[in-house]
């Protein structure tokens, strides 16, 4: 073991949408893929959850799986509802839209949490501060558009995290 270069602590990111079947599993899969491409998988804990419970236990929506597969990204996991403990367990909690963010802020207030909450597109160089729109009731084009914004934003998020680790 090289003591002059200690392993950095594990970084943790939770992606959150409404149902945890369309957007947040896609963001989780894309982010994990980007981390793996850089050979940093062991350094990150990555997960996703929903603010609603309607789809708990279900796999990702087929349209999210299809768009991910077209871009060489595999999705896994089953939908679950976000828990108060998630706000402590994950260093960063990343919401897809402002409704998700407001629900997370309310959860944080109820549980006295000082979680670090962000909108994913704060990290999108092409749309800082915008939302990842809910594609559930749209067609496949919606999922491709969502994929592109999720990919850009996850890249930006990973860069921001790696820059902050290197600076510390
Ligand atoms: P997601 O999409 O929040 O991106 O997983 C949705 C999935 C299901 C529903 C809404 C949004 N739904 O109303 O059942």
């Amino acid at each position: 073991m090289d003591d002059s270069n200690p392993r950095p602590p594990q970084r943790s990111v939770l992606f959150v949408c409404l149902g945890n079947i369309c957007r947040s599993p896609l963001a989780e899969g894309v982010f994990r893929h980007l981390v793996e491409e850089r050979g940093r998988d062991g350094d990150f804990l990555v997960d996703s959850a929903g603010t609603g419970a309607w789809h708990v236990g279900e796999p990702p929506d087929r349209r999210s799986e299809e768009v991910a597969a077209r871009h060489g990204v595999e999705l896994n996991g089953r939908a679950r509802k976000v828990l108060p403990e998630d706000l402590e367990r994950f260093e960063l909690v990343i919401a897809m839209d402002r409704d998700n963010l407001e629900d997370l802020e309310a959860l944080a207030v109820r549980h006295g949490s000082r979680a670090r909450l962000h909108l994913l597109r704060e990290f999108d160089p092409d749309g800082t501060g915008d939302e990842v729109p809910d594609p559930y009731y749209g067609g496949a084009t919606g999922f491709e558009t969502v994929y592109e914004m999720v990919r850009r934003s996850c890249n930006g998020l990973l860069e921001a995290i790696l820059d902050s680790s290197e600076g510390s």
Side-chain angles (χ1 to χ4, degrees), residues 17-25 54-55 134-137:
C17 63
L18 178 60
N20 193 210
I21 54 170
C22 297
R23 292 165 293 174
S24 60
W54 308 281
H55 297 281
D134 183 349
Y136 188 62
Y137 294 106

Side-chain angles (χ1 to χ4, degrees), residues 8 14 29-30 39 43 56 60 69-70 95 117 120 123 132 139 141 150 156 160 168:
L14 180 71
V30 166
D43 299 341
V56 166
R70 276 204 297 280
L117 308 175
L120 180 61
F123 303 94
V132 180
T141 325
V150 163
S168 62

Side-chain angles (χ1 to χ4, degrees), residues 4-93:
S4 65
N5 186 16
R7 259 186 106 61
Q10 197 178 47
R11 314 301 302 261
S12 53
V13 185
L14 180 71
F15 295 97
V16 177
C17 63
L18 178 60
N20 193 210
I21 54 170
C22 297
R23 292 165 293 174
S24 60
L26 190 59
E28 176 193 344
V30 166
F31 190 81
R32 185 173 291 123
H33 180 82
L34 295 172
V35 164
E36 284 170 5
E37 271 184 352
R38 288 167 180 257
R40 302 291 294 259
D41 1 342
D43 299 341
F44 281 84
L45 171 66
V46 187
D47 197 5
S48 65
T51 56
W54 308 281
H55 297 281
V56 166
E58 293 179 18
D61 188 287
R62 182 186 299 270
R63 295 164 296 176
S64 280
E65 285 187 329
E66 284 171 356
V67 76
R70 276 204 297 280
H71 293 277
V73 174
E74 195 185 327
L75 305 188
N76 43 43
R78 298 272 164 170
R80 71 173 182 89
K81 191 165 187 242
V82 67
L83 301 167
E85 303 89 272
D86 288 322
L87 302 179
E88 310 311 322
R89 187 161 159 243
F90 290 89
E91 185 185 5
L92 286 167
V93 180

